[in-house]
């Protein structure tokens, strides 16, 4: 690990002044559960690390039944899990945090860090760059792609977005507030992520000298919601596929639905097809199953990950059923 | 028959043996006072790191360390020269050492090595794709398989089964701290299974006599068969330390630990097996292949457990660039259990027989342990509620959760190794047992204390055990389940001799002959007359100024142990047929190992083995990338190990009492880890009605099998 400068500003204004305008020069440190391992594995070698730990306003959890929830980016998973203000109106946010099966990650990991963590693709982490290339060619299509993307994978990116919270936050219509030298801007989370076309790009619409300060979640308004993750292990393990569902019901009929898949594509993957399959229907096992099929109708699995198509279908089905039966 | 001079006490005369004793180093380990090799820091010590070859097969073209050596305090040491052909990614080329770990890592990045990259092979599951890397061995046969398979009464089952390469993934990585006391004397703190053997293994390479080398392993974080030798890093760091005149600590990073510090060879086989319609097994035919890296892979002991009368086996050894093989807890047995017990389970299904009944029917083929297996099959079936829960192939319960049970059997040797110990009884009553053994985490230290305390009639706390230093009397390597038999026998012989010397010293004062005395309850007393007694302390005071000092040995007069165990395990699993996920409901382990000394550490061996077994059955695989030739999961994120939520209910039953105890002490480390793969695979087949040919049983394989012909 090369020597670097460490800064711990106490305001967001001071923080962004310490950030460079090019990626790679500086890195922002929140819980450090991703950045430190990237730096140790030489996946990142910044000249300056800017810690946000002393920026107090980033730790806020504010809930107002009419306007919704503001989560500071530095709120830890543990603080989220312990928050009665989140648990009641947004049970699926709690489910998403519970899917991270590690007390250590609960203690150190932050909500903002979850949204901005880099892909877990083992070629990327093994030193072949974000696009997993050797001699200009991706190693993924003919390689060990069992955990890679089944949607949005026409290349050159094949990794999956690893966020636990992004699918449910998108389904809830959340925005992120970004703060840079020119002030704050709000971006709808479903517009925030993108698929990089070169290895030096990031997977999201954040400038190198901006920080993510807040996550703004609209009032749930009695919507029902659930997250379902298919994980191989009960212990800490990345989901093989995940789905987040928010249902607005009229009696038992779905007025509108949001369905967003995780761990299936380089970005969180909203599924208008699944949403259309649910609209106007009464939720049942077969309706939920149809939604799962619709969500995956355009899947293009790679050589070793066709099974993920089935897992993602099941994740959608079970999330729909759990949402319809369940909370908020 | 008169009792031999050295024997274990009879059932009614034991005060510690067979009870549940907490391990004596538990508090030291849980409080952090126990210092492992990783914890050792010496004055002026440098941290060593490895420049490893990134290619699976390559020739070293040039090595340039100039930039690295410009870093402050950085030293370099070449371990392989230009022109050397490297056979696996991760193989060491250059060592660097620096005053801090960070600086050492930076130095690694600055060493420039150029390679000529050569073609590699890292996959062997499909034998048709290994080209000239496969070397067939001579066919082995006995009986008449042609006739047996042609018998019109024969029911024949054919299948493909296999296990990929897995690693050891010891919690404590390989490595050591090397320090020269002077130009001729070396100290090594090593994470090793072979403390007493290490000086001899290092001496010649570094040019000093073995007596000048002292090894320390007070505590150890697991080896599982991967830590017998000094390894290149042990030898080269000894030289490197001497060159730089400073101690060097070099422990492998997790990635290199998984890439090159040990692989359990793969084993695959196409198997045909036949039985008569009544279930009597008649014939076996197998074409197997395996790899353990560049040296290929040997033939597994198949058919396993059952000596099938007509058999023919053919084996191909496949040379790959996957990293070198090392012994892995019960070498070749877990793989052989999968190849054999899964094939037999499929045959039982074809015969429409309950596999437990089928194993009972053929128990005569299980060598001299037929009766042991019968008892264990009965006990395991009872503990698994087999009668109630087992069903023919394919759970017909509606819904997507299918439950199934599977069984497997195994065998192991486990005779005690050579062991020497010094026993000292001091005039102040303190007792010390010293021997050059190591406690891998199994409870060896506790067993030694327990054995001495049993002989002396003392509480276990009264014994000081000294292990983990090669200056103590030599004891064998801890491998092959040989340690408990070895150290308990040497300790028992030594403590009986020490006790007898103490008896001789105190007998006149008690008005008795030495052979009329006994050591019980913290006293030396005339047998059957507690009025004529001395406390232990009073008795030892009679020694005057001269402690009792004796040596105990194994082997020696009288047998205190033997060899050969059985073992039966049953898995109870549920499969979600929509996701292909396997959930362990319960694992039952019924195991014999002769006389059980500490029931608690014995059961703990079985619990640990079941967890390790569940892990390799469901999660573990050294996943290699064909293009790069590198392992893609050399970390504990994607080299998946079971957590506490993944293991279900574990039920362990040790077979003890008449028929078992009189066999003396037999090792236990390996046997319970052998059967989980086969038992779990069989349980999955029982649940979903279709065989998943290879472990680990991952969701992709389950879904693919269901699609092909199961009951999705």
């Amino acid at each position: 690990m090369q020597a670097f400068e460490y800064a711990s500003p106490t305001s967001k204004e001071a923080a962004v002044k310490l950030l460079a305008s090019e990626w790679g020069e500086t890195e922002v440190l929140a819980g450090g559960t991703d950045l430190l391992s990237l730096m140790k594995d030489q996946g990142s070698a910044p000249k300056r690390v800017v810690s946000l730990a002393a920026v107090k306003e980033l730790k806020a959890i504010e809930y107002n039944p009419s306007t919704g929830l503001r989560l500071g980016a530095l709120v830890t998973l543990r603080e989220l899990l312990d928050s009665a203000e989140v648990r009641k109106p947004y049970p699926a946010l709690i489910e998403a945090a519970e899917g991270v099966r590690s007390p250590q990650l609960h203690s150190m990991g932050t909500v903002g860090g979850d949204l901005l963590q880099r892909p877990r693709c083992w070629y990327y982490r093994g030193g072949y760059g974000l696009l997993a290339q050797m001699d200009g060619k991706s190693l993924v299509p003919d390689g060990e792609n069992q955990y890679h993307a089944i949607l949005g994978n026409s290349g050159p990116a094949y990794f999956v977005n690893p966020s636990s919270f992004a699918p449910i936050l998108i389904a809830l219509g959340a925005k992120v507030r970004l703060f840079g030298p020119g002030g704050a801007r709000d971006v709808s989370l479903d517009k925030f992520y993108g698929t990089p076309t070169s290895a030096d790009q990031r997977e999201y619409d954040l400038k190198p000298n901006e920080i993510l300060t807040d996550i703004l979640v609209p009032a749930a308004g009695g919507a029902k919601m659930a997250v379902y993750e298919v994980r191989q292990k009960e212990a800490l393990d990345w989901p093989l596929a995940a789905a987040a569902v928010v249902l607005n019901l009229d009696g038992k009929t779905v007025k509108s639905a949001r369905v967003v898949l995780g761990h299936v594509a380089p970005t969180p993957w909203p599924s208008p097809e699944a949403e259309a399959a649910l609209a106007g229907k009464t939720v049942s096992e077969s309706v939920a199953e149809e939604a799962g099929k619709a969500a995956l109708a355009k899947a293009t699995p790679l050589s070793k990950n066709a099974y993920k198509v089935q897992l993602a279908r099941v994740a959608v089905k079970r999330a729909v059923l759990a949402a319809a039966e369940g909370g908020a | 028959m008169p009792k031999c001079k050295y024997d274990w006490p009879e059932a009614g005369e034991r005060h510690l043996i067979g009870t549940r004793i907490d391990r004596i180093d538990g508090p030291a380990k849980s409080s952090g006072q126990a210092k492992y090799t990783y914890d050792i820091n010496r004055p002026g010590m440098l941290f060593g790191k490895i420049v490893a070859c990134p290619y699976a097969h390559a020739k070293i073209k040039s090595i340039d360390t100039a930039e690295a050596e410009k870093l402050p305090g950085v030293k370099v040491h070449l371990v392989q020269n230009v022109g050397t052909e490297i056979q696996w990614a991760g193989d060491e080329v250059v060592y660097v050492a620096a005053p801090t770990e960070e600086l050492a890592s930076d130095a690694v990045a600055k060493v420039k090595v150029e390679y000529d990259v050569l073609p590699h092979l890292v996959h062997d599951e499909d034998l048709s794709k290994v080209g000239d890397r496969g070397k067939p061995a001579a066919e082995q046969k006995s009986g008449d398989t042609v006739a047996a398979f042609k018998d019109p009464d024969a029911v024949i089952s054919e299948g493909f089964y296999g296990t990929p390469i897995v690693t050891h993934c010891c919690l404590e990585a390989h490595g050591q701290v090397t320090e020269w006391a002077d130009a001729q004397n070396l100290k090594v703190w090593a994470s090793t299974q072979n403390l007493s053997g290490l000086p001899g293994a290092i001496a010649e390479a570094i040019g000093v006599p073995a007596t000048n080398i002292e090894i320390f392993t007070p505590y150890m974080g697991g080896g599982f068969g991967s830590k017998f030798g000094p390894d290149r890093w042990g030898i080269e760091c000894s030289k490197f330390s001497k060159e730089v005149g400073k101690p060097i600590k070099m422990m492998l990073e997790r990635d290199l630990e998984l890439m090159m510090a040990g692989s359990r060879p793969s084993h695959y086989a196409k198997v045909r097996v036949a039985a008569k319609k009544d279930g009597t097994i008649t014939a076996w035919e197998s074409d197997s292949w395996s790899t353990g890296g560049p040296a290929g892979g040997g033939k597994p002991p198949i058919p396993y457990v059952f000596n099938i009368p007509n058999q023919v086996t053919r084996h191909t050894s496949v040379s790959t660039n996957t990293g070198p093989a090392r012994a892995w807890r019960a070498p070749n047995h877990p793989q052989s259990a999968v190849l054999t017990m899964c094939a037999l389970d499929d045959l039982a299904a074809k015969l429409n027989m309950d596999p437990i009944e089928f194993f009972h029917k053929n128990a005569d083929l299980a060598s001299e342990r037929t009766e042991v297996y019968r008892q264990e099959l009965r006990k395991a079936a009872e503990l698994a509620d087999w009668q109630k829960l087992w069903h023919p192939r394919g759970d017909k319960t509606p819904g997507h959760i299918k439950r199934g049970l599977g069984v497997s059997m195994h065998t192991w040797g486990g005779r005690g190794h050579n062991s020497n110990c010094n026993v000292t009884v001091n005039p102040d009553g303190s007792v010390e047992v010293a021997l050059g053994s190591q406690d891998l985490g199994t409870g060896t230290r506790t067993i030694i204390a327990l054995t001495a305390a049993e002989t002396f009639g003392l509480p276990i706390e009264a014994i000081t055990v000294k292990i983990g230093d090669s200056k103590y009397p030599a004891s064998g390597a801890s491998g092959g389940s040989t340690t408990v038999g070895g150290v308990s026998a040497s300790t028992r012989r030594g403590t009986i001799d020490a006790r007898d010397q103490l008896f001789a010293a105190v007998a006149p004062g008690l008005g008795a002959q030495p052979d009329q005395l006994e050591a019980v309850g913290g006293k030396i007393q005339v047998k059957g007359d507690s009025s004529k007694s001395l406390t232990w302390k009073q008795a030892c005071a009679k020694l005057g100024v001269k402690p009792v000092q004796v040596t105990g040995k194994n082997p020696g007069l009288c047998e205190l142990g033997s060899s050969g165990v059985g073992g039966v395990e049953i898995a109870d699993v549920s499969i979600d047929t929509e996701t292909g996920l396997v959930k362990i409901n319960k694992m039952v382990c019924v195991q014999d190992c002769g006389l059980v000394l500490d029931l608690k550490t014995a059961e703990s061996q079985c619990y640990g083995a079941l967890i390790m077994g569940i892990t390799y059955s469901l999660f573990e695989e050294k996943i290699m990338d064909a293009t790069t030739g590198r392992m893609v999961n050399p970390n504990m994120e994607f080299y998946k190990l079971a957590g506490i939520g993944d293991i279900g209910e574990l039920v362990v039953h040790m077979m003890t009492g008449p028929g078992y105890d009189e066999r003396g002490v037999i090792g236990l480390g390996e046997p319970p880890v052998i059967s989980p793969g086969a038992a779990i695979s069989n349980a999955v087949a029982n649940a979903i009605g279709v065989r998943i040919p290879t472990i680990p049983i991952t969701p992709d394989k389950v879904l693919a099998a269901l699609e092909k012909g199961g009951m999705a």
Side-chain angles (χ1 to χ4, degrees), chain A residues 123 233-234 238 317-318, chain B residues 576 578 625 637 641 646:
Chain A
Y123 294 104
K233 292 200 301 177
E234 278 295 313
W238 295 101
K317 176 176 107 173
R318 292 185 184 179
Chain B
D576 182 333
E578 291 186 342
D625 177 69
E637 174 181 1
L641 303 180
D646 299 304

Side-chain angles (χ1 to χ4, degrees), chain B residues 7 56 112 119 245 329 335 377 387 416 472 500 536 543 631 643 686:
Chain B
D7 206 349
K112 295 187 194 76
R329 200 172 183 179
Q335 302 98 312
L377 282 165
Q387 201 76 25
Y472 298 139
D500 288 353
W536 176 262
L543 293 169
M631 182 177 180
N686 181 248

Side-chain angles (χ1 to χ4, degrees), chain B residues 184-188 195-197 199 209-217 420-422 434-437 466-475:
Chain B
Q184 285 299 312
N185 288 281
L186 174 69
K187 293 174 184 220
V188 183
L195 175 85
S196 291
T211 50
N212 292 16
I213 301 170
E214 187 169 8
I215 312 290
F216 306 96
T217 311
N420 301 285
C421 69
N422 283 341
L435 67 170
S437 187
K466 293 195 167 171
I467 60 171
D469 187 328
S470 63
K471 294 296 183 203
Y472 298 139
S475 206

Side-chain angles (χ1 to χ4, degrees), chain A residues 37-76:
Chain A
S37 60
L38 267 173
M39 288 170 69
K40 284 181 182 173
D41 293 342
Q42 314 206 342
S44 172
K47 295 188 176 115
R48 179 187 292 153
V49 170
V50 179
S51 167
L52 298 182
V55 185
K56 298 254 174 353
E57 65 184 287
L58 303 183
K59 299 286 287 179
I61 300 179
E62 289 171 10
Y63 176 64
N64 178 318
S66 54
T67 57
L69 177 70
R70 179 172 84 88
L71 280 176
L74 269 279
V75 169
T76 65

Side-chain angles (χ1 to χ4, degrees), chain B residues 284-347:
Chain B
W284 169 281
E285 179 178 11
S286 59
D287 289 277
S288 57
W289 64 97
S290 74
T291 189
K299 179 176 173 288
I302 52 173
Y304 186 59
V305 174
F306 294 98
N307 298 318
I308 298 173
N310 305 297
Q311 51 176 278
V312 56
T313 57
R314 291 173 288 269
H315 183 75
T316 300
S317 166
V318 182
S319 162
T320 57
N321 304 98
T322 50
R326 293 183 185 217
W328 192 103
R329 200 172 183 179
N332 291 331
H333 282 233
Q335 302 98 312
S336 298
V338 166
L339 302 186
T340 305
M341 300 298 161
C342 295
L344 294 180
D345 188 73
D346 285 347
L347 179 59

Side-chain angles (χ1 to χ4, degrees), chain A residues 1-3 42 120-123 125-126 128 134 139 142-144 146-147 228 230-238 240 285 289 304 307-308 310-311 314 317-318, chain B residues 54 102 105-106 109 123 400 576-582 618-619 623-628 630 632-633 637-638 640-646 697-700 703:
Chain A
M1 195 190 302
Q2 75 172 39
Q42 314 206 342
R120 305 308 307 183
C121 164
W122 46 31
Y123 294 104
R125 298 277 167 169
Y128 294 96
M134 192 168 80
L139 291 162
D142 298 324
E144 297 298 316
Q146 47 269 55
Y147 301 136
Y228 192 92
V230 181
R231 273 180 279 111
Q232 197 187 356
K233 292 200 301 177
E234 278 295 313
L236 180 64
D237 198 10
W238 295 101
L240 299 167
E285 174 103 16
E289 196 166 322
K304 293 188 172 183
Y307 75 104
K308 284 186 58 165
Q310 164 67 6
L311 299 190
V314 174
K317 176 176 107 173
R318 292 185 184 179
Chain B
E102 292 78 7
S105 292
D106 290 347
H123 290 133
H400 61 268
D576 182 333
T577 55
E578 291 186 342
T579 60
L581 290 173
V582 179
L618 298 183
F619 306 123
I623 304 174
M624 304 295 297
D625 177 69
T627 306
T628 63
R630 292 171 67 88
V632 291
N633 59 340
E637 174 181 1
F638 287 113
K640 298 186 182 188
L641 303 180
I644 210 78
D646 299 304
I697 300 175
T698 49
D700 54 330
L703 291 175

Side-chain angles (χ1 to χ4, degrees), chain A residues 92-168:
Chain A
L93 279 178
I94 301 296
E95 289 170 8
E98 285 169 344
V100 180
R101 311 288 289 179
S102 158
Q104 292 94 330
L105 289 178
H106 286 169
S107 296
M108 294 303 295
T110 64
V111 181
D114 172 83
L115 295 177
L116 299 179
Q117 63 186 309
R118 311 302 306 278
R120 305 308 307 183
C121 164
W122 46 31
Y123 294 104
Y124 168 48
R125 298 277 167 169
Y128 294 96
L130 182 62
L131 299 180
Q133 291 183 344
M134 192 168 80
D135 305 329
K137 185 169 177 266
S138 175
L139 291 162
V140 177
D142 298 324
E144 297 298 316
N145 52 42
Q146 47 269 55
Y147 301 136
H148 285 81
I150 51 173
L151 285 158
N153 58 356
S154 54
Y158 297 93
F159 57 78
V160 296
N161 179 282
S163 171
S164 295
F165 292 109
I168 183 62

Side-chain angles (χ1 to χ4, degrees), chain B residues 81-417:
Chain B
N81 295 315
V82 170
T84 306
E85 194 172 316
I86 305 271
Q87 293 288 349
W88 57 81
D91 199 15
E92 315 126 82
V93 180
V94 176
Y95 292 169
V96 302
T100 67
E101 274 196 86
E102 292 78 7
L103 197 53
S105 292
D106 290 347
V108 165
K110 291 200 182 297
V111 173
K112 295 187 194 76
V113 185
E114 289 182 307
Y115 301 90
D116 284 321
V117 180
L118 302 169
H120 60 251
L121 178 73
V122 292
H123 290 133
D124 71 319
E125 182 171 338
D126 186 346
L127 189 60
S128 70
K129 291 185 181 161
V130 307
D132 62 359
R133 296 289 197 106
K135 298 273 179 291
E139 176 179 283
Q140 291 180 304
K141 63 196 292 184
S142 61
D144 185 349
T145 47
V146 176
F149 279 113
K150 272 191 183 159
D151 183 341
D153 193 33
V155 174
I156 299 169
S157 175
E158 290 187 49
F160 164 66
Y161 311 92
T163 69
I165 293 178
V166 301
T167 81
H168 300 69
C169 206
C170 307
L171 204 51
E172 181 184 39
H174 286 67
Q176 70 290 309
V177 178
T178 46
E179 178 177 295
W180 289 83
D182 55 48
Q184 285 299 312
N185 288 281
L186 174 69
K187 293 174 184 220
V188 183
W189 288 261
S191 181
T192 180
Q193 298 176 239
N194 188 11
L195 175 85
S196 291
L198 228 46
I202 297 177
E204 198 177 337
I206 64 166
V208 300
T211 50
N212 292 16
I213 301 170
E214 187 169 8
I215 312 290
F216 306 96
T217 311
Y219 294 92
M220 200 199 158
F224 308 107
S226 68
K227 294 180 179 169
F228 290 120
D231 285 310
R232 183 192 277 146
W233 44 86
I235 289 168
E236 295 300 326
C237 279
S238 297
K239 295 182 191 167
F240 196 7
S241 258
K242 195 171 197 176
E243 286 162 17
V244 302
K246 286 181 176 172
I248 293 177
K249 170 148 112 182
M250 189 157 85
M251 307 297 292
L252 297 192
E253 304 269 341
R254 182 57 57 184
D255 57 352
L256 290 182
E257 175 76 14
L258 293 181
M259 286 161 76
M260 59 133 174
S263 296
R264 181 176 88 176
S266 67
H267 278 297
Y268 298 97
K270 289 175 180 158
V271 178
R272 282 177 86 208
V273 60
K276 292 181 186 164
K277 289 196 174 66
D278 70 355
T280 308
I281 306 170
T282 54
W284 169 281
E285 179 178 11
S286 59
D287 289 277
S288 57
W289 64 97
S290 74
T291 189
K299 179 176 173 288
I302 52 173
Y304 186 59
V305 174
F306 294 98
N307 298 318
I308 298 173
N310 305 297
Q311 51 176 278
V312 56
T313 57
R314 291 173 288 269
H315 183 75
T316 300
S317 166
V318 182
S319 162
T320 57
N321 304 98
T322 50
R326 293 183 185 217
W328 192 103
R329 200 172 183 179
N332 291 331
H333 282 233
Q335 302 98 312
S336 298
V338 166
L339 302 186
T340 305
M341 300 298 161
C342 295
L344 294 180
D345 188 73
D346 285 347
L347 179 59
K350 204 158 181 186
L351 288 157
N352 292 314
M353 273 183 90
D354 175 334
I356 293 233
E357 193 188 311
F358 177 69
F359 283 171
H360 270 296
K361 173 99 192 163
N362 291 286
D364 287 343
L365 298 178
S367 68
E368 73 270 32
R369 277 182 288 286
T370 296
E371 195 44 41
V372 169
Y373 283 124
R374 286 192 198 284
Q375 290 178 17
E376 290 177 340
L377 282 165
R378 279 192 285 272
K379 189 69 197 176
E382 175 199 322
L383 292 171
D385 215 356
W386 183 276
Q387 201 76 25
K388 186 177 143 212
L389 296 175
W390 184 81
H391 51 74
R393 281 264 165 107
D395 180 0
K396 305 293 189 292
T397 314
H400 61 268
I401 303 296
K402 304 294 181 191
R403 186 173 183 180
L405 267 61
V407 60
S408 172
M409 296 161 57
H410 53 257
T411 184
W412 190 253
R415 180 179 295 282
H417 58 209

